[in-house]
Amino acid sequence: MDLISLQKGQQAQIQRIKDECPYEVRQRLLDLGFVHGASIRIQNISPLGDPIAYEIHHTLICLRREDAIYILIEIKEGNDNDE
Amino acid sequence: MMNSACENCELNPNANLKRLGESNGDSRYTIALAGNPNTGKSTVFNALTGLKQHTGNWPGKTVTRAEGSFSYQHDTYKIIDLPGTYSLLSTSEDEEVARDFILFGKPDVTVVVVDASRLERNLSLALQILEITDKVVLCLNLMDEATRHGIHIDIRTLSKDLGIPVVAASARKKEGISELLFAIQQVATETFTCKKQQHVQLSGESGQAVEDLSSQLIQLDTDLPNAQWLAMRLIEGDEHIIHALSKGDISPHIQGTKAKTILTAAKDHQEKVGDTYRTKIVEAIYTRSNQLVKDTVSSDSSTRSFRIDRAIDNIVTHRIWGFPIMFLLLGLVLWITIIGANYPSELLSTLLLEKVHPFLKNAAETLRLPWWLDGFLIDGVYLATAWVIAVMLPPMAIFFPLFTLLEDFGYLPRVAFNLDRLFKGAGAHGKQALTMSMGFGCNAAGVVATRIISSPREKLIAIITNNFSLCNGRWPTQILIASIFLGALVPKQWAGTISMLAVVFIAVLGIAFTFFTSWLLSKTLLKGQSSFFTLELPPYRPPRFFQTVYTSLIDRTLIVLWRAIVFAAPAGAVIWLISNIAIGGQSIAVWMIESFDPVGVLIGLNGVILLAYIVAIPANEIVIPTILMLTTMVLGNTSMGHGAGVMFEIGDAEVATLLHTAGWTTLTGINLMLFSLLHNPCSTTIYTIYKETGSRKWTTIATVLPILYGIIVCFLVTSVWNYFH
């Protein structure tokens, strides 16, 4: 599944970036630490639903939906303790 | 600088530090300062050099690279603050500047500033730099914040694992600076020999490819410090590095046919390793960085959770409360500015216009200056300049510090986060939310702020549309005209509310024009895919009140004020001259007013307003006084004002009487409010746009487009109005 299917409160691990991801976007995502094995969760959703702020490597990175779609993830477990 | 006993005491390690600011003498060593955005690099730079680079809690502050010097224990060091980057693997302009300097500038020491509480991602950059050079000092900055979050870092182990000096610092509090200096000196003088402990390990085919190519490079030049890194870049097909290698810039031993052999080998490898090569490199870097963090960082997971930050974020980006809070905060800043500026503005204008001006006039009379020289200098140049200072300084001195406090605290990136969806719809960047808000203070400052937008297309959109944010200079005009012409239409108890709503409507209309124009530009002149959007939300940081006030006064207020004065003085001269030089028994001003009048009336304005907007281009603040002066001149009213070419101010009731006498109607008032929003930017802003874009074409577009809007909108309103009357 991809990152946009992640729900708030879920914890996931990044699998990889999809092959159809444009080169520049892939570069930028990698630079920000969107690499295999990195833990990721949703921290905040913008009032208008997009973009979404993800916590990754203890930083908050906001991605638009159109870019988040390129990231494949695997859900780890439910984690609702910060709501 | 104070020369207290403590500062010179030998026990004080900082006694050996002499901050030399920008001084450009011969320096013995060159230091490069690198790091992720928003890690306090500029703060470290300022602490070392004594300079005051603007720092803000916003990634991407240092755009052009800054240089400074300091001397430490008899040696002089030059230090270069490189742009903050997340990596050195990509090809953005910032990253190329940073990478080229480290690679070709061969600094004696590269200080990598990292955020201690975000070590994992920050280390990935440090590891990349370590691939290029061994001579690195790692500065763990923001240690105070990390400690607050319950993070403990085993500095000695980290230093041993990396093979370089690691220094803990809190540059904001000036902690750790002397240790940093000591480490820099040790590396520069090679007292400490940096020994890279381990290269980034690539596995499988990619690993073999890199190993093969780097051993080929080493064979050609055994002194090459970064063969593995070069091999990685060459296999990736980095044009820049390929070019540098074939020119012999990388190594004098590798050029010509030798370089060709290497490049052919690199190309072969590139085909074999395929598309996932780059991903593998970054994964390898993160694996290593992960391991380092695991070995050296322990954190108390309960405090680690940044609870306060999360709580604030949950409120300010809340689905329902996010927007009201945003409008409330920005509205509050504007309100404090407008209300708070009244008193000091009055004080200044009493002083400069009612005390100093007559004093200068008297002095001129005593000195028997000819009337034209006295008029030109004192009524023209002095008055316009004094006027601009009196009305411009107080609101800016209030707005900029308040705004900078919000910026330092970390709130503004959240505004960008909240509004990005709307900007995306218009083909623009979310960070334009910040530059737009800044424009409400001053459009020139808003244009400068667009530097935080990294993609050129979106940056241009932000620059061209900034003028639609109703700046400080225009609020007083709006308020005055609204209360005279709109407040007067309703019963007294509603007058205040109605005029306030009218002004807010104009400001909101400006925002609508911002979005409309952004959309229009992104569909026409600035067509293109909206580029990849990333925004990092920095942690909240308690703002440092006094420093913020100080730097925002220096960096923003005074610079903008100075530019305004430079343009205001000649404009004052022009205003006086056209009012006093007569051709055929009539002053130039009156001739111009008469010739503009037909056009003016067509768009529901008049010749006086159009002329006032032309001559008052330096500052929107002097539009009203100019209009008043020109109106009395046209009416031949000698009971008001101080003569031709002398700007003046009177009470609201008198303004109302004067303008009504001159034939102004409600329509004139409404159109003046619209035209005040939709006309060319002031000369300070135009000049700033030119400086930022370096392009006449875009400067012209940014100047002419709003006037076109103004003419069209005023014409439409007038036509509709006349149809119903």
Side-chain angles (χ1 to χ4, degrees):
Chain A
M1 65 188 291
D2 50 42
L3 192 53
I4 51 171
S5 331
L6 183 67
Q7 298 295 312
K8 203 171 175 186
Q10 286 179 326
Q11 189 80 36
Q13 252 187 0
I14 291 177
Q15 294 295 306
R16 62 186 178 87
I17 298 170
K18 286 184 193 167
D19 294 338
E20 66 262 35
C21 178
Y23 184 70
E24 192 221 0
V25 178
R26 176 191 302 273
Q27 274 192 333
R28 293 277 151 212
L29 288 172
L30 289 172
D31 290 346
L32 291 166
F34 288 83
V35 293
H36 175 79
S39 302
I40 189 166
R41 50 178 280 284
I42 290 178
Q43 169 60 33
N44 287 104
I45 301 170
S46 167
L48 300 170
D50 185 34
I52 289 175
Y54 299 97
E55 194 195 285
I56 179 164
H57 301 295
H58 303 296
T59 60
L60 287 181
I61 304 289
C62 311
L63 293 182
R64 285 177 178 171
R65 198 183 157 84
E66 68 221 43
D67 298 315
I69 203 161
Y70 294 123
I71 299 165
L72 289 169
I73 54 160
E74 186 186 9
I75 306 278
K76 294 273 283 185
E77 81 264 25
N79 178 3
D80 285 308
N81 56 16
D82 62 293
E83 284 302 298
Chain B
M1 189 176 279
M2 273 211 300
N3 239 347
S4 71
C6 285
E7 272 185 17
N8 294 325
C9 173
E10 282 191 10
L11 293 174
N12 175 1
N14 276 345
N16 297 313
L17 169 67
K18 234 191 251 146
R19 301 183 175 94
L20 299 175
E22 288 176 56
S23 111
N24 256 334
D26 282 339
S27 46
R28 176 121 190 236
Y29 300 111
T30 306
I31 320 286
L33 207 56
N36 273 195
N38 207 29
T39 50
K41 247 163 23 71
S42 298
T43 317
V44 172
F45 178 84
N46 291 346
L48 290 174
T49 59
L51 291 173
K52 300 262 187 263
Q53 267 239 40
H54 183 81
T55 61
N57 194 1
W58 184 285
K61 265 285 161 190
T62 312
V63 181
T64 42
R65 90 181 187 200
E67 286 189 25
S69 333
F70 63 88
S71 90
Y72 177 69
Q73 294 191 343
H74 320 301
D75 279 325
T76 316
Y77 295 78
K78 184 165 88 178
I79 181 160
I80 285 103
D81 191 10
L82 299 173
T85 55
Y86 289 111
S87 95
L88 295 180
L89 296 169
S90 302
T91 43
S92 78
E93 201 188 322
D94 280 355
E95 291 185 24
E96 268 177 13
V97 169
R99 187 193 64 190
D100 283 1
F101 190 80
I102 298 171
L103 187 62
F104 302 115
K106 298 209 167 58
D108 297 292
V109 185
T110 302
V111 177
V112 184
V113 182
V114 298
D115 178 347
S117 42
R118 280 154 199 79
L119 206 52
E120 204 167 310
R121 196 195 61 209
N122 278 258
L123 272 180
S124 86
L125 177 71
L127 290 172
Q128 291 175 40
I129 292 172
L130 272 170
E131 292 290 322
I132 305 179
T133 167
D134 277 345
K135 303 183 85 177
V136 174
V137 171
L138 191 74
C139 173
L140 292 177
N141 195 26
L142 303 163
M143 273 310 276
D144 47 345
E145 232 171 70
T147 312
R148 211 169 58 229
H149 288 135
I151 298 164
H152 177 79
I153 301 171
D154 180 352
I155 292 165
R156 291 181 66 179
T157 309
L158 187 60
S159 171
K160 222 172 78 202
D161 284 358
L162 289 168
I164 54 168
V166 176
V167 179
S170 304
R172 273 160 63 114
K173 297 181 181 162
K174 304 244 159 41
E175 287 169 15
I177 297 299
S178 44
E179 290 82 350
L180 180 63
L181 282 164
F182 183 66
I184 291 174
Q185 186 202 34
Q186 286 214 307
V187 175
T189 56
E190 291 177 356
T191 321
F192 183 107
T193 318
C194 295
K195 191 77 206 88
K196 177 157 48 221
Q197 291 305 302
Q198 192 188 334
H199 277 294
V200 168
Q201 297 290 322
L202 276 172
S203 57
E205 201 159 353
S206 312
Q208 269 164 19
V210 171
E211 208 171 292
D212 173 57
L213 198 65
S214 65
S215 63
Q216 283 191 47
L217 283 164
I218 288 284
Q219 269 172 17
L220 293 170
D221 182 354
T222 42
D223 289 334
L224 216 53
N226 38 29
Q228 158 141 359
W229 184 82
L230 286 172
M232 277 188 199
R233 297 310 299 158
L234 291 171
I235 295 173
E236 171 123 14
D238 185 325
E239 293 291 339
H240 204 72
I241 301 295
I242 291 173
H243 185 70
L245 186 84
S246 27
K247 263 179 45 195
D249 285 353
I250 305 255
S251 156
H253 304 292
I254 310 172
Q255 33 188 323
T257 46
K258 285 178 186 163
K260 271 214 183 91
T261 327
I262 294 282
L263 293 179
T264 324
K267 196 135 193 114
D268 286 348
H269 284 304
Q270 189 183 7
E271 274 158 25
K272 261 186 268 165
V273 293
D275 286 345
T276 56
Y277 173 70
R278 170 63 176 282
T279 313
K280 290 231 172 77
I281 290 180
V282 182
E283 276 172 6
I285 291 168
Y286 269 93
T287 310
R288 172 107 169 91
S289 153
N290 217 319
Q291 192 58 47
L292 286 165
V293 169
K294 233 178 237 162
D295 293 347
T296 57
V297 179
S298 58
S299 61
D300 177 354
S301 58
S302 61
T303 45
R304 171 86 219 203
S305 57
F306 305 97
R307 260 198 226 114
I308 299 171
D309 273 31
R310 284 189 189 180
I312 300 175
D313 267 340
N314 286 340
I315 299 166
V316 300
T317 67
H318 190 269
R319 201 162 49 86
I320 295 160
W321 300 114
F323 275 73
I325 289 173
M326 196 171 65
F327 290 124
L328 210 72
L329 273 174
L330 293 177
L332 193 71
V333 167
L334 280 174
W335 185 77
I336 295 176
T337 305
I338 293 167
I339 301 297
N342 272 339
Y343 181 71
S345 263
E346 243 165 64
L347 213 73
L348 272 175
S349 69
T350 312
L351 179 73
L352 296 176
L353 308 177
E354 283 167 36
K355 293 261 168 14
V356 176
H357 183 243
F359 172 79
L360 289 174
K361 293 291 280 185
N362 283 337
E365 211 166 295
T366 324
L367 289 172
R368 296 178 186 283
L369 283 190
W371 73 273
W372 53 267
L373 189 62
D374 157 15
F376 178 83
L377 286 178
I378 300 172
D379 294 333
V381 175
Y382 168 77
L383 204 57
T385 313
W387 211 292
V388 166
I389 294 174
V391 289
M392 210 165 176
L393 181 59
M396 289 210 189
I398 298 173
F399 180 86
F400 286 139
L402 286 176
F403 198 79
T404 314
L405 284 175
L406 280 184
E407 188 180 352
D408 274 6
F409 176 57
Y411 178 65
L412 294 180
R414 271 78 186 176
V415 174
F417 175 67
N418 285 349
L419 289 174
D420 178 64
R421 179 72 191 76
L422 296 175
F423 282 100
K424 181 176 116 180
H429 197 286
K431 284 183 187 169
Q432 196 179 324
L434 166 102
T435 64
M436 183 180 84
S437 316
M438 185 79 150
F440 283 106
C442 169
N443 297 130
V447 169
V448 174
T450 59
R451 289 179 187 172
I452 57 165
I453 302 173
S454 51
S455 56
R457 194 188 74 91
E458 278 93 339
K459 183 180 160 181
L460 264 176
I461 291 179
I463 288 178
I464 295 170
T465 55
N466 198 273
N467 187 43
F468 300 120
S469 292
L470 195 67
C471 70
N472 265 330
R474 292 181 272 176
W475 286 87
T477 308
Q478 297 285 348
I479 293 168
L480 176 73
I481 299 299
S483 57
I484 291 177
F485 289 97
L486 299 173
L489 295 177
V490 292
K492 239 195 176 103
Q493 67 266 33
W494 294 106
T497 317
I498 288 297
S499 31
M500 194 194 77
L501 283 177
V503 177
V504 170
F505 173 79
I506 294 287
V508 172
L509 187 71
I511 297 175
F513 267 100
T514 300
F515 281 108
F516 169 71
T517 310
S518 302
W519 173 82
L520 192 72
L521 286 170
S522 68
K523 290 273 174 262
T524 54
L525 291 173
L526 287 167
K527 232 185 267 184
Q529 277 277 308
S530 51
S531 63
F532 180 52
F533 170 85
T534 42
L535 174 69
E536 181 173 0
L537 299 181
Y540 291 101
R541 285 175 187 148
R544 291 155 299 167
F545 190 78
F546 290 104
Q547 178 144 14
T548 302
V549 172
Y550 177 82
T551 49
S552 63
L553 279 178
I554 298 295
D555 276 13
R556 289 174 172 160
T557 313
L558 289 186
I559 286 176
V560 170
L561 188 70
W562 173 242
R563 284 190 180 175
I565 289 172
V566 168
F567 288 107
V574 168
I575 293 172
W576 190 86
L577 287 175
I578 59 167
S579 312
N580 283 283
I581 298 176
I583 299 170
Q586 200 166 268
S587 68
I588 298 179
V590 175
W591 280 113
M592 290 174 88
I593 290 169
E594 281 177 3
S595 63
F596 291 154
D597 225 29
V599 184
V601 171
L602 197 67
I603 58 174
L605 297 169
N606 57 44
V608 166
I609 297 175
L610 293 186
L611 179 61
Y613 268 103
I614 292 171
V615 293
I617 191 176
N620 284 289
E621 284 89 343
I622 58 171
V623 166
I624 288 291
T626 309
I627 286 177
L628 296 182
M629 184 273 288
L630 292 174
T631 306
T632 52
M633 212 166 76
V634 171
L635 291 177
N637 182 342
T638 46
S639 66
M640 248 182 225
H642 308 283
V646 189
M647 293 187 287
F648 65 95
E649 210 166 37
I650 41 176
D652 289 7
E654 288 164 285
V655 175
T657 319
L658 178 67
L659 294 181
H660 283 303
T661 318
W664 288 42
T665 61
T666 311
L667 176 68
T668 324
I670 292 173
N671 277 344
L672 177 56
M673 288 176 76
L674 289 168
F675 197 72
S676 159
L677 173 73
L678 303 169
H679 71 281
N680 56 284
C682 69
S683 52
T684 310
T685 307
I686 296 175
Y687 174 68
T688 310
I689 292 173
Y690 181 70
K691 283 217 108 176
E692 291 299 315
T693 59
S695 145
R696 282 189 196 179
K697 178 185 157 200
W698 294 115
T699 311
T700 312
I701 289 172
T703 308
V704 174
L705 190 69
I707 308 182
L708 279 179
Y709 280 167
I711 292 173
I712 293 170
V713 168
C714 287
F715 176 75
L716 289 177
V717 169
T718 309
S719 309
V720 172
W721 180 277
N722 288 340
Y723 180 79
F724 285 105
H725 283 73

